[in-house]
Amino acid sequence: MQDMEFTIEKGKLYMLQCRNGKRTATASLRIAIDLVKEGKIDEKQALMRIEPSSLDSLLHRTFDPQDLKKSAVIGTGLPASPGSACGMVVFSNEKAKEFKKLSKKTILVRMETSPEDIEGMHIAEGVLTARGGMTSHAAVVARGMGTCCVSGCSSLQIDEKSSSMMINGVKFNEGDYLSIDGSTGNIYKGQITLVPPTLSEDFKTIMSWSDKYRKIGVRTNADTPKDAEQALKFGAEGIGLCRTEHMFFEPTRIMAVREMIVSSDTLEQRQKALDKLLPMQQGDFESLYRIMKGLPVTIRLLDPPLHEFVPKTQEEVQELSKDMNISVEKINATIEDLKEFNPMMGHRGCRLAITYPEIAVMQTKAIINAAINVSKSEKVNVEPQIMIPLVGDVNELKYLKKLISETADKIIKDSNFKLVYHIGTMIEIPRAALLADEIASEAEFFSFGTNDLTQMTFGFSRDDSGKFLKDYYDKKIFDFDPFARIDEKGVGMLVKMAVEKGRSVRPMMHCGICGEHGGNPATIKFCNDIGLTYVSCSPYRVPIARLAGAQAKVVIYL
Amino acid sequence: MQDMEFTIEKGKLYMLQCRNGKRTATASLRIAIDLVKEGKIDEKQALMRIEPSSLDSLLHRTFDPQDLKKSAVIGTGLPASPGSACGMVVFSNEKAKEFKKLSKKTILVRMETSPEDIEGMHIAEGVLTARGGMTSHAAVVARGMGTCCVSGCSSLQIDEKSSSMMINGVKFNEGDYLSIDGSTGNIYKGQITLVPPTLSEDFKTIMSWSDKYRKIGVRTNADTPKDAEQALKFGAEGIGLCRTEHMFFEPTRIMAVREMIVSSDTLEQRQKALDKLLPMQQGDFESLYRIMKGLPVTIRLLDPPLHEFVPKTQEEVQELSKDMNISVEKINATIEDLKEFNPMMGHRGCRLAITYPEIAVMQTKAIINAAINVSKSEKVNVEPQIMIPLVGDVNELKYLKKLISETADKIIKDSNFKLVYHIGTMIEIPRAALLADEIASEAEFFSFGTNDLTQMTFGFSRDDSGKFLKDYYDKKIFDFDPFARIDEKGVGMLVKMAVEKGRSVRPMMHCGICGEHGGNPATIKFCNDIGLTYVSCSPYRVPIARLAGAQAKVVIYL
């Protein structure tokens, strides 16, 4: 579509300028479909005319355009998770919950978020943070939830004492109305009316054409039934990554998790805490299997370092001390002992399961029991995929595979039910990619964790690199954010190498990607081209991935 | 040499058992040389009969064997840096200095050491730590200095309040005598007589044979004139790594470094602090060049994150505040701001120079001025090698190379002296190894920083992995410490790939190794086999590297 400017002077036509016409996502779908109907272009050409990321605006609530015109932007941050939101300012999880009880909508405002804020983020209409980039905790979690988020608003100053904040001289007290737009990063004072999204017929047509031409699979990263249901609605073909740790942060469970961590002295005590967690985990997995009705569900064993779960305040320490009859000093010593210099490169992933095999055993029991129960009750064929994180050496995998398969096989034998399960691994450590042929001798599938792989390959952490990457863009050293789009030259070389080496040992091996990159159109094209089986992305990225996957394939046809 | 046990019964000879005879390093040199003199074996065979690491005992003071027999071991730690030491227990840098003024010898005892303890480590006879592995700060620095060190003595409890410590129930107050053996990890109460090392004629013979058959070069890691002189005595052929940051920690300089860091707002203020540092750095380099007399000296630009230099106590903050006329709050805010989640993957290496080019400019001036001065005054040909750390992308190198060469060329032009210098890079980020051909288009030489490369390739940090690697050895997942000996399969694959890719662009390119691995015999063999130009190791490892380098080559002949 061209936007042309012309003039006629003395009977002569002058073309003044001509450029691609801007149009809304809704219009671009309609135009592409109409052109097909009129026989001007074919379906494949139509797909190529739509910008995948523009679909985002069709999936989220947006501000009413009339009302928006009346509102002035008072500040901006990064457009970290699309959609618009309006609510009362709160500065903590607890306040979000209090306001919810009074049926008041909220915007959660934080310096930065941590796993403990998950509940508040679920409750709030939107999230605003002062610190953190496009791949900060707030941004990643909010995108996964489909919650609107503006991150890294550096002009935001929070005064926790007086429960107030300032944005470029505008003061907000707790309870004041704020509106934020996660698609632009704009921040507004007061209320702006919201317009709900609708999945139009045009949208459905484009999605069905996408699926027709697409070869690469599209799965979703989902940890909760809500995420799984949403992703399924958007056309996900399975769960590519279920992070089990998010389940551990729920208030009813964190106590049992802490008991497990603190009882580091005796296996017996730890086992008792794990026994409390087992039925909860099993219940989680049963819900997911029930929703996914036999579609693949890939469950990753516990990944984060244990210090993420320890009590954060001395009140919590005291509660735990009373509950477990362990002295406050001892608990504080354990917390101190768990601290790490570089947590990202510390005691986490499969390293945890090697030190504490009983955690992996508990998780395996939950996965297998749940699969048997749902297979029986729902008459579907659940085939769980157990994924071991952070493997760097084949011996880690051998050790854990033996442990997991012995546990699983015993349950299966005792249950008299024929259940098939698979054990695979994340490829997220450079060494695992380099030695993927060895790893593939033990792993039944690969899933590329490109967040960690990017960190290790570049040698900078997602949380710390924000400080200097700005200089890298300014000085034209980098021209894109390697956490948002895969670095094809370096990280991509490792991924390609790993796929080739893996399939040299196990030819039909399934290889997927489950990092944040899985929802990025440019990355999806790369994944298609190197022959990945599927991409897995957050639920709200699924439609984008379906279209981008089709475009990757169509380019080859055209 | 065989140690045989036999008996004669009823006129019949029974051989009971037979094994390799144990012998001291001194004896093994003598035996090998005597066998050559008697024409039983040739020089190459003689070299193969000596265990390189056994040379260590010839280079350090040892306990008098008679006196040692009378002493009981009260505890053990890791044999982190060889040699024996005896002195009075002190728990801080300051105390070590006080005792030194009274001509009292000390053993510095710390939970773990940090860069600020360097001075105390220099003064003390030996270092004992409660925490930290073979590659902890204490271990690495002590080996570099040739100071005896026992690290990771987990039974050691320090009570700072009462200036005392307990080791397995034995109490020591400040000033009590302690003896430690860094070759065995043994700890003794009281004094044990020490015997000084002598470089015997046999030792010199073996070294000269080693150099005759060795192809791979041996350089040293040296930051101080003392290190450089020691290494030269041991036969080093150059400095492969001079870490400029160690010079920054000296008490007379740390203030200027802190001024530079705190003056983050204005380039002008920062420039003033850098101007103070310039003559000091230049002096450092002049001393090194003078000692090395034209042998290669490779100087690495500032590497550690700035937070390593900030004041550690509020008294220091106040001093800095007064000195610079900046408020305490502002300084504390800067310190807070510099904190990182994962310092190992943070704002360090060349990333610092990209944010603060003026630091690299100051260091370049110091390097080039010093080289011109010494070339003139000593009539030697100093050819400085400027090494840029932590490069992951060729654009980082391009940016800094331009900055450095413009600075250097101007000085050279103004001085009317013909000076040749080289700009190269560390290869210590996996991505740099993967894209070494691109990097080599800008870098004149490579030096493999295998400490960091090992961390990034395995995805675990040297400081944190101690906690779980014990389980890895117990469960037979790892059979050696990848920080002590290079992991040939993974990390080695990257090194080999980088050498090949680098030389595909720059055929005669010098490639060395300057990580801790450079002094490990198995690693030296690997480096020889893949065609590295040299290994660089701490001064006290130089003789070991000379022999190991010869053995690597001789194996091919035999």
Side-chain angles (χ1 to χ4, degrees):
Chain A
M1 191 177 81
Q2 293 295 302
D3 179 356
M4 286 174 279
E5 220 172 289
F6 62 91
T7 185
I8 299 170
E9 210 178 282
K10 295 180 190 162
K12 209 168 177 177
L13 172 72
Y14 293 88
M15 297 298 301
L16 296 177
Q17 63 175 356
C18 169
R19 60 194 159 205
N20 283 335
K22 280 187 187 154
R23 52 207 190 275
T24 64
T26 312
S28 81
L29 299 190
R30 173 63 52 89
I31 292 168
I33 292 169
D34 282 353
L35 284 170
V36 173
K37 279 187 191 154
E38 291 168 22
K40 304 286 188 207
I41 58 174
D42 64 17
E43 291 172 1
K44 290 181 231 169
Q45 287 170 312
L47 291 176
M48 295 307 289
R49 294 196 172 192
I50 301 160
E51 177 56 48
S53 53
S54 74
L55 297 182
D56 231 1
S57 65
L58 304 177
L59 311 175
H60 298 276
R61 290 182 307 176
T62 47
F63 289 131
D64 175 79
Q66 294 310 317
D67 210 12
L68 185 62
K69 274 185 195 162
K70 290 180 241 154
S71 314
V73 175
I74 59 154
T76 55
L78 296 169
S81 177
S84 305
C86 172
M88 291 172 168
V89 170
V90 292
F91 300 100
S92 70
N93 241 333
E94 288 65 36
K95 282 288 168 189
K97 280 188 265 183
E98 269 180 38
F99 277 57
K100 199 197 164 167
K101 279 187 197 144
L102 306 169
S103 300
K104 286 179 182 165
K105 293 186 171 171
T106 53
I107 303 285
L108 179 64
V109 181
R110 305 279 290 148
M111 276 306 288
E112 56 201 339
T113 62
S114 71
E116 299 211 319
D117 295 316
I118 299 263
E119 219 193 337
M121 295 176 74
H122 259 300
I123 292 169
E125 301 292 303
V127 178
L128 171 64
T129 69
R131 277 197 214 151
M134 293 295 290
T135 48
S136 62
H137 178 268
V140 172
V141 173
R143 280 201 292 277
M145 290 176 176
T147 298
C148 147
C149 173
V150 173
S151 72
C153 170
S154 52
S155 56
L156 164 63
Q157 286 172 306
I158 301 177
D159 182 3
E160 296 213 348
K161 276 184 204 153
S162 69
S163 288
S164 68
M165 66 172 183
M166 294 284 278
I167 302 177
N168 292 322
V170 183
K171 189 174 176 183
F172 289 81
N173 291 312
E174 186 181 272
D176 286 352
Y177 272 104
L178 180 75
S179 298
I180 59 175
D181 185 340
S183 309
T184 61
N186 286 342
I187 302 166
Y188 306 87
K189 191 175 161 73
Q191 286 177 276
I192 308 178
T193 316
L194 291 162
V195 184
T198 48
L199 297 187
S200 65
E201 277 312 306
D202 284 351
F203 176 83
K204 287 174 196 159
T205 304
I206 292 297
M207 285 295 109
S208 78
W209 289 353
S210 295
D211 291 348
K212 191 163 151 191
Y213 297 102
R214 175 168 59 86
K215 186 171 166 256
I216 195 164
V218 176
R219 297 188 189 175
T220 190
N221 298 350
D223 311 335
T224 63
K226 193 180 153 216
D227 283 353
E229 272 164 0
Q230 183 62 64
L232 213 52
K233 258 186 223 159
F234 284 154
E237 299 161 334
I239 293 178
L241 173 64
C242 166
R243 305 178 197 88
T244 51
E245 54 272 19
H246 287 183
M247 303 166 171
F248 282 17
F249 281 108
E250 288 191 15
T252 49
R253 304 174 181 194
I254 188 75
M255 205 63 189
V257 176
R258 287 175 180 167
E259 285 172 23
M260 173 187 84
I261 293 170
V262 173
S263 58
S264 50
D265 283 355
T266 70
L267 173 59
E268 214 174 301
Q269 239 181 342
R270 195 157 55 241
Q271 193 59 57
K272 233 171 79 185
L274 285 166
D275 288 346
K276 284 191 202 169
L277 287 169
L278 173 57
M280 301 178 192
Q281 279 258 291
Q282 187 172 323
D284 294 329
F285 299 144
E286 285 177 4
S287 321
L288 288 180
Y289 291 146
R290 226 171 264 129
I291 292 164
M292 297 309 288
K293 296 193 178 58
L295 288 174
V297 175
T298 312
I299 296 171
R300 178 176 75 180
L301 299 186
L302 193 67
D303 184 59
L306 294 184
H307 49 76
E308 284 199 8
F309 301 101
V310 299
K312 297 282 183 287
T313 65
Q314 280 309 307
E315 289 78 55
E316 287 175 334
V317 171
Q318 269 155 15
E319 193 187 343
L320 190 62
S321 157
K322 224 167 128 186
D323 182 64
M324 294 201 65
N325 201 17
I326 292 183
S327 74
V328 167
E329 290 71 35
K330 182 128 195 287
I331 292 176
N332 281 329
T334 303
I335 294 174
E336 190 55 35
D337 204 49
L338 284 173
K339 279 189 185 154
E340 297 187 298
F341 296 102
N342 296 282
M344 195 60 73
M345 308 177 86
H347 196 184
R348 54 178 283 242
C350 70
R351 300 162 195 164
L352 280 177
I354 286 169
T355 312
Y356 306 114
E358 52 282 3
I359 301 179
V361 167
M362 180 280 280
Q363 294 201 296
T364 303
K365 283 182 187 167
I367 292 168
I368 299 296
N369 281 333
I372 292 173
N373 289 352
V374 174
S375 292
K376 281 183 185 172
S377 68
E378 306 286 309
K379 309 262 181 282
V380 293
N381 199 10
V382 179
E383 253 185 49
Q385 313 210 356
I386 302 174
M387 185 152 78
I388 300 174
L390 220 69
V391 164
D393 190 283
V394 68
N395 285 339
E396 295 173 316
L397 195 53
K398 261 190 204 161
Y399 176 84
L400 290 173
K401 196 179 169 186
K402 185 165 176 285
L403 186 78
I404 293 167
S405 57
E406 280 173 2
T407 307
D409 293 347
K410 189 176 176 315
I411 298 175
I412 294 170
K413 197 170 161 238
D414 291 350
S415 75
N416 258 326
F417 184 86
K418 268 198 180 162
L419 186 91
V420 178
Y421 66 93
H422 305 280
I423 301 176
T425 183
M426 302 272 288
I427 302 283
E428 51 189 338
I429 296 277
R431 195 172 185 274
L434 293 169
L435 299 171
D437 39 359
E438 267 192 26
I439 309 266
S441 69
E442 294 288 329
E444 290 180 74
F445 61 87
F446 282 171
S447 179
F448 291 94
T450 50
N451 295 346
D452 268 318
L453 193 60
T454 298
Q455 297 193 92
M456 312 288 182
T457 306
F458 276 95
F460 50 64
S461 103
R462 205 160 73 164
D463 297 322
D464 300 305
S465 57
K467 279 188 195 164
F468 55 85
L469 284 187
K470 207 191 149 299
D471 293 317
Y472 274 51
Y473 303 130
D474 289 350
K475 297 183 177 179
K476 310 243 179 291
I477 291 169
F478 279 6
D479 51 15
F480 65 93
D481 176 359
F483 291 114
R485 185 178 122 196
I486 200 166
D487 154 52
E488 294 186 21
K489 264 173 36 178
V491 178
M493 184 195 291
L494 280 178
V495 173
K496 192 161 177 279
M497 190 189 286
V499 171
E500 285 163 7
K501 288 193 175 193
R503 288 191 180 147
S504 76
V505 171
R506 208 181 273 266
M508 305 299 290
M509 191 177 207
H510 276 208
C511 297
I513 181 174
C514 64
E516 269 290 297
H517 296 109
N520 169 266
T523 307
I524 294 168
K525 166 135 183 45
F526 176 76
C527 293
N528 177 82
D529 295 352
I530 62 165
L532 288 200
T533 321
Y534 65 88
V535 298
S536 187
C537 54
S538 54
Y540 280 82
R541 304 296 289 181
V542 167
I544 296 165
R546 286 162 76 191
L547 174 57
Q551 288 185 343
K553 191 74 193 162
V554 164
V555 167
I556 304 167
Y557 296 142
L558 285 182
Chain B
M1 189 177 82
Q2 293 296 300
D3 178 357
M4 285 174 278
E5 219 173 289
F6 63 91
T7 185
I8 299 170
E9 209 177 282
K10 292 179 190 162
K12 208 167 178 178
L13 172 71
Y14 292 87
M15 296 299 301
L16 296 178
Q17 64 176 354
C18 170
R19 62 196 157 201
N20 283 336
K22 281 187 187 154
R23 51 207 190 275
T24 63
T26 312
S28 82
L29 298 191
R30 175 62 53 88
I31 292 169
I33 292 170
D34 281 353
L35 285 170
V36 173
K37 280 188 190 155
E38 290 168 21
K40 305 286 187 204
I41 58 174
D42 63 18
E43 290 171 2
K44 290 182 230 167
Q45 287 168 313
L47 291 176
M48 295 308 288
R49 294 195 174 193
I50 301 160
E51 175 57 47
S53 53
S54 74
L55 297 182
D56 230 359
S57 65
L58 304 177
L59 310 176
H60 299 275
R61 290 182 307 177
T62 48
F63 289 132
D64 174 82
Q66 294 309 318
D67 210 13
L68 186 62
K69 273 184 195 159
K70 291 180 239 154
S71 313
V73 175
I74 59 153
T76 55
L78 297 169
S81 177
S84 305
C86 171
M88 290 172 169
V89 170
V90 292
F91 299 101
S92 70
N93 242 331
E94 288 66 35
K95 282 288 166 186
K97 281 188 264 183
E98 270 181 37
F99 276 58
K100 202 200 161 165
K101 280 185 197 149
L102 307 169
S103 300
K104 285 178 183 169
K105 294 186 169 172
T106 52
I107 304 286
L108 179 64
V109 180
R110 304 280 291 149
M111 276 306 287
E112 56 201 340
T113 62
S114 72
E116 299 212 318
D117 295 316
I118 299 261
E119 218 192 337
M121 293 176 75
H122 259 301
I123 292 170
E125 301 291 304
V127 179
L128 171 64
T129 69
R131 278 197 213 148
M134 295 293 290
T135 47
S136 62
H137 178 267
V140 172
V141 174
R143 280 200 293 278
M145 292 176 175
T147 298
C148 148
C149 173
V150 173
S151 72
C153 170
S154 51
S155 55
L156 164 64
Q157 287 171 304
I158 301 177
D159 182 2
E160 297 213 347
K161 276 185 207 155
S162 68
S163 287
S164 68
M165 66 170 182
M166 295 284 278
I167 302 177
N168 293 320
V170 183
K171 190 175 175 183
F172 290 80
N173 291 312
E174 186 181 273
D176 287 350
Y177 271 104
L178 179 75
S179 298
I180 58 174
D181 185 339
S183 308
T184 61
N186 286 342
I187 302 166
Y188 308 86
K189 193 176 159 69
Q191 287 178 276
I192 308 177
T193 316
L194 290 162
V195 184
T198 49
L199 297 186
S200 65
E201 276 311 307
D202 284 352
F203 176 83
K204 288 174 196 160
T205 304
I206 291 298
M207 284 296 107
S208 78
W209 291 352
S210 295
D211 292 347
K212 190 162 152 193
Y213 297 102
R214 177 168 56 86
K215 183 170 168 257
I216 194 164
V218 176
R219 297 189 189 175
T220 190
N221 298 351
D223 311 335
T224 63
K226 192 179 156 216
D227 284 353
E229 272 165 1
Q230 183 62 63
L232 213 52
K233 258 184 223 159
F234 284 153
E237 299 159 336
I239 293 179
L241 173 64
C242 166
R243 304 178 198 90
T244 50
E245 55 271 21
H246 286 184
M247 304 165 172
F248 282 18
F249 282 108
E250 287 190 18
T252 49
R253 303 174 182 196
I254 188 75
M255 207 63 189
V257 176
R258 287 175 181 166
E259 285 172 24
M260 171 187 84
I261 294 171
V262 173
S263 57
S264 49
D265 283 356
T266 70
L267 173 60
E268 214 173 299
Q269 238 181 343
R270 196 155 56 240
Q271 194 58 57
K272 233 172 81 185
L274 285 167
D275 288 345
K276 284 191 203 171
L277 286 169
L278 174 59
M280 301 180 194
Q281 280 256 295
Q282 187 173 322
D284 294 329
F285 300 144
E286 285 177 4
S287 323
L288 288 180
Y289 291 145
R290 227 171 264 130
I291 292 163
M292 298 309 288
K293 296 190 177 60
L295 289 173
V297 175
T298 312
I299 295 171
R300 178 176 76 181
L301 300 186
L302 193 67
D303 184 59
L306 295 184
H307 48 75
E308 285 198 9
F309 301 100
V310 299
K312 296 284 183 286
T313 65
Q314 280 308 308
E315 288 79 56
E316 288 176 333
V317 170
Q318 269 155 15
E319 193 186 341
L320 189 62
S321 158
K322 224 166 125 188
D323 183 63
M324 293 201 65
N325 202 17
I326 292 183
S327 74
V328 167
E329 290 70 36
K330 182 126 195 287
I331 293 177
N332 282 329
T334 303
I335 294 176
E336 189 55 35
D337 204 50
L338 284 173
K339 277 189 188 158
E340 296 187 299
F341 296 102
N342 296 282
M344 194 59 74
M345 307 177 88
H347 196 183
R348 53 177 282 244
C350 68
R351 299 161 195 164
L352 280 177
I354 287 169
T355 312
Y356 306 113
E358 53 281 4
I359 300 179
V361 168
M362 181 279 280
Q363 294 202 295
T364 303
K365 285 182 186 166
I367 292 168
I368 300 296
N369 282 334
I372 293 174
N373 289 351
V374 175
S375 292
K376 283 183 182 169
S377 68
E378 307 285 309
K379 310 259 180 284
V380 292
N381 198 9
V382 179
E383 252 185 52
Q385 313 209 357
I386 302 175
M387 185 153 76
I388 300 174
L390 220 70
V391 164
D393 190 283
V394 68
N395 285 340
E396 295 173 316
L397 195 54
K398 260 189 204 161
Y399 177 84
L400 290 173
K401 196 180 167 184
K402 184 163 177 285
L403 187 77
I404 293 166
S405 57
E406 281 173 2
T407 307
D409 293 347
K410 190 177 177 310
I411 298 175
I412 294 171
K413 199 172 159 236
D414 291 350
S415 75
N416 258 326
F417 184 86
K418 267 196 181 165
L419 185 91
V420 178
Y421 66 93
H422 305 279
I423 300 175
T425 183
M426 302 270 289
I427 303 282
E428 50 188 339
I429 295 279
R431 195 172 184 275
L434 293 168
L435 299 172
D437 39 359
E438 266 191 26
I439 308 268
S441 70
E442 294 288 330
E444 290 180 74
F445 61 87
F446 282 172
S447 179
F448 291 94
T450 50
N451 295 345
D452 267 319
L453 193 60
T454 299
Q455 297 194 93
M456 311 289 183
T457 307
F458 276 94
F460 49 65
S461 103
R462 204 161 76 163
D463 296 322
D464 299 305
S465 57
K467 278 187 194 165
F468 55 85
L469 284 186
K470 207 190 150 300
D471 294 316
Y472 274 51
Y473 304 130
D474 290 350
K475 296 183 177 179
K476 312 244 178 288
I477 291 170
F478 279 6
D479 52 14
F480 65 91
D481 176 357
F483 291 114
R485 185 177 123 196
I486 201 168
D487 155 51
E488 293 185 21
K489 264 172 36 178
V491 178
M493 184 195 290
L494 281 178
V495 174
K496 191 162 177 279
M497 190 189 286
V499 172
E500 286 164 6
K501 288 193 175 192
R503 289 192 180 146
S504 75
V505 171
R506 208 181 274 264
M508 305 299 291
M509 189 179 208
H510 276 208
C511 297
I513 180 174
C514 64
E516 269 290 297
H517 295 108
N520 169 265
T523 307
I524 293 168
K525 168 140 184 37
F526 175 77
C527 293
N528 177 81
D529 296 353
I530 62 166
L532 289 201
T533 321
Y534 65 87
V535 298
S536 186
C537 54
S538 54
Y540 281 83
R541 304 297 289 179
V542 166
I544 297 166
R546 286 163 75 191
L547 174 56
Q551 289 185 345
K553 193 74 193 163
V554 164
V555 167
I556 304 166
Y557 295 142
L558 287 182

